[in-house]
Amino acid sequence: MKIEISQGDITTTHVDGILVGLCEDSGQLGPATSAVAAVDALLGGAIGTLLDSKGARGKAGEVTVLHTLGRLPCRLVAVCGLGPRSKVTIDGVRDAAAEGSRALRKLGATSMATTLIGAGATGLDDRAVARAIAEGATLGLYSFAKYKLPEVADMERLVIVVRTSGDTSGLQEAVATAVVLSEATNLARDMVNEPANYMTPSRMAEMALDLGSTHGFEVTVLGREEMATLGMGALLGVASGSAEAPKFIRMDYTAAGGDAARIALVGKAITFDSGGISIKPSEGLAEMKDDMAGGAAVIATMSAVARAGAPGNVTGLVPATENLLGSRAYRPGDVLRAMNGKTIEVISTDAEGRLALADAISYAVKEGLAPLVDVATLTGACQVALGKTYSGVFSNNQELADRFLGAAARAGERMWQLPLADEYRELNKSLIADIKNVGNRHGGAITAALFISEFTGDVPWLHVDIAGTSNSAKDNGVIVKGATGVAVRTLYELVRSS
Ligand code: BES
Ligand code: ZN
Ligand code: ZN
């Protein structure tokens, strides 16, 4: 979709459909100068009538589509609810643009226009609104149509209409950032939506190599033998049940001097998690192709960071493997040795993510990277605790946690910190090894985080559990059914704030 900024009047713009914003304010249209009031006048008071009859209320998330029947150059008007005027936020504008764009596409529109909805009457910054609209449309119109014909035509053009030409270059810059971020999020969605017979560890490595040469970061891919040489016994244990070659993907983006600090982004990439010998029940098993969503987020973030030419140095690390059953598969009761020398008793082969992360984090520590941020579809327990909207955040460093939560808020992603509770550390104690890979029935997201913390040493580290948030069962604002691409925009904001 091409996004343009254009100076003019939305009511005379030649596109298939337009978006106007409507606040939920006791049945009143906005100020007489607002786009919604101008469109209402041209439609003979249709929007006012809708309000009077409670056909539209301006509630957040609500979209009412009107057919103009020749009264405006456009065929369709999507009236997008923004909620009460005093409570309109950038997140709300982003979601409204997503909902409105989808409604227009559903009715066959392939071009659309919008004003800076929500900006005038609410005091929100014009650039932030332009960015939110571009993000909302690009994210909300995402679809994964590789294996079947799309049901509706693609939106080809979005025009953001402004009244004055005053800040065009600032608005254009805001839109460019939005495009980089939402395309990276959609790239992560594509990777996660791919089935596991396509998105193998080798394919993830190939994609990283391609993105590195396109956008400008170095990529190194290690195979089984190199992992063995490095002593990555935990990751190799997980990989042992699959004929599919595991890959350890390292990506280096360098914008600051070679000696400057280098943040590590680590992403769990189990391209299919059957549970291994501790096999999962078959219900919902197809969803376990999503178990590489952390790795996809890291690869996509690297491409966004490089594309935007962000300052700083960033290294992405993605331990990628399948977790399958076979005659060579690792077993419950096995003891594995991680790269940092620690021994791990495997209680469940289904707690494989923390094993893959143990080696990736050990590697990052050995390489002197700091801080460390890992993203992983790690525990069903996190989904039970926080549901499908909030990702769980754990950290051994409150300053880093505060910075990360700030980045998430700016990105518009919901994240919630949970305690890295030292009281529960003993639950991971093993009789025969340094640590075991499962705690007990309770606090499963916390004991998983505590397990990873055993490999970080004193390095500032933060862990994001995206088991609940990596996919969605329904469309909702910028979220569409299927993979969400969660964490890409937050990681990008974190890198930018470093
Ligand atoms: N990949 C799963 C976690 C998961 C669950 C992701 C649901 C998305 C949705 C992870 O590898 C896993 O199986 N974790 C186990 C850990 C348990 C064996 C300690 C779990 O959460 O049940
Ligand atoms: Zn598992
Ligand atoms: Zn898993």
Side-chain angles (χ1 to χ4, degrees):
M1 180 175 61
K2 197 167 168 293
I3 306 179
E4 306 156 31
I5 307 274
S6 163
Q7 191 212 337
D9 176 358
I10 188 145
T11 63
T12 60
T13 308
H14 286 265
V15 283
D16 293 338
I18 65 173
L19 302 182
V20 294
L22 179 66
C23 293
E24 184 185 359
D25 287 310
S26 48
Q28 301 286 307
L29 279 181
T33 50
S34 67
V36 66
V39 171
D40 180 59
L42 289 165
L43 291 178
I47 302 174
T49 308
L50 257 180
L51 276 173
D52 293 343
S53 66
K54 306 272 190 277
R57 294 167 195 259
K59 282 191 184 303
E62 170 195 280
V63 180
T64 315
V65 182
L66 301 172
H67 295 250
T68 63
L69 308 176
R71 294 184 194 225
L72 269 81
C74 61
R75 181 165 60 86
L76 303 164
V77 175
V79 183
C80 305
L82 294 168
R85 191 174 306 278
S86 59
K87 291 192 183 156
V88 180
T89 60
I90 284 297
D91 290 351
V93 171
R94 197 186 294 109
D95 282 337
E99 296 285 355
S101 307
R102 271 200 297 273
L104 291 178
R105 180 181 62 183
K106 205 168 162 194
L107 293 170
T110 59
S111 59
M112 58 188 261
T114 177
T115 56
L116 292 175
I117 46 175
T122 59
L124 293 177
D125 175 60
D126 283 1
R127 293 184 190 186
V129 169
R131 177 169 160 182
I133 289 171
E135 284 180 1
T138 312
L139 293 168
L141 289 169
Y142 170 82
S143 69
F144 184 64
K146 182 172 163 193
Y147 298 103
K148 67 168 188 181
L149 286 174
E151 279 158 25
V152 286
D154 275 347
M155 191 67 75
E156 284 160 13
R157 186 167 160 241
L158 163 62
V159 188
I160 301 176
V161 181
V162 293
R163 292 219 177 116
T164 61
S165 59
D167 187 29
T168 309
S169 68
L171 295 175
Q172 245 140 13
E173 208 177 289
V175 168
T177 302
V179 169
V180 167
L181 278 180
S182 30
E183 288 185 356
T185 304
N186 288 347
L187 167 71
R189 289 171 171 183
D190 275 345
M191 293 179 78
V192 176
N193 281 327
E194 283 283 4
N197 62 340
Y198 178 87
M199 195 49 64
T200 58
S202 303
R203 189 84 57 181
M204 290 187 79
E206 256 170 49
M207 289 189 68
L209 285 161
D210 283 353
L211 290 162
S213 61
T214 306
H215 299 301
F217 55 88
E218 257 177 71
V219 182
T220 317
V221 179
L222 310 183
R224 256 191 234 269
E225 273 168 28
E226 290 130 310
M227 292 179 212
T229 307
L230 287 170
M232 294 182 163
L235 175 57
L236 283 171
V238 178
S240 61
S242 175
E244 202 57 66
K247 301 288 175 192
F248 187 86
I249 306 165
R250 173 176 179 157
M251 294 159 284
D252 291 288
Y253 169 77
T254 309
D259 293 341
R262 186 171 272 284
I263 183 172
L265 307 180
V266 182
K268 169 181 171 181
I270 303 299
T271 57
F272 186 74
D273 181 12
S274 69
I277 300 291
S278 317
I279 193 166
K280 287 180 180 291
S282 66
E283 198 190 325
L285 198 48
E287 256 179 46
M288 284 301 132
K289 69 171 185 177
D290 287 11
D291 213 20
M292 36 61 75
V298 167
I299 293 172
T301 303
M302 294 301 297
S303 76
V305 165
R307 223 181 131 182
N313 295 338
V314 187
T315 291
L317 300 173
V318 177
T321 175
E322 281 193 316
N323 185 25
L324 286 191
L325 312 78
S327 62
R328 298 204 173 271
Y330 76 136
R331 316 154 192 82
D334 283 0
V335 175
L336 306 174
R337 189 181 293 274
M339 186 178 160
N340 71 348
K342 282 202 183 181
T343 53
I344 306 165
E345 183 186 8
V346 177
I347 300 301
S348 169
T349 60
D350 196 14
E352 84 299 334
R354 65 198 77 180
L355 299 174
L357 290 172
D359 276 334
I361 297 275
S362 300
Y363 176 94
V365 170
K366 193 168 170 219
E367 292 290 302
L369 307 173
L372 316 174
V373 177
D374 81 76
V375 184
T377 45
L378 206 64
T379 66
C382 192
Q383 177 166 234
V384 170
L386 294 179
K388 301 236 6 121
T389 302
Y390 282 78
S391 304
V393 173
F394 300 84
S395 182
N396 62 5
N397 181 300
Q398 196 52 42
E399 202 190 313
L400 174 61
D402 291 341
R403 255 180 58 212
F404 184 86
L405 293 169
R410 285 196 301 284
E413 295 193 299
R414 307 275 181 278
M415 308 263 177
W416 197 258
Q417 189 175 3
L418 295 170
L420 189 67
D422 254 330
E423 295 85 341
Y424 300 161
R425 211 171 272 281
E426 63 178 353
L427 298 173
N428 286 335
K429 285 208 169 128
S430 159
L431 195 59
I432 64 163
D434 293 328
I435 189 170
K436 62 185 169 77
N437 78 334
V438 168
N440 70 359
R441 241 159 59 75
H442 304 298
I446 298 175
T447 48
L450 285 166
F451 179 95
I452 304 168
S453 77
E454 295 289 336
F455 299 85
T456 62
D458 297 332
V459 182
W461 153 82
L462 181 140
H463 157 64
V464 195
D465 194 329
I466 57 167
T469 51
S470 66
N471 68 6
S472 171
K474 55 180 197 316
D475 292 351
N476 181 16
V478 296
I479 302 286
V480 293
K481 235 185 243 178
T484 59
V486 66
V488 172
R489 292 178 296 139
T490 299
L491 291 178
Y492 175 90
E493 288 289 343
L494 179 73
V495 166
R496 293 238 56 153
S497 74
S498 305

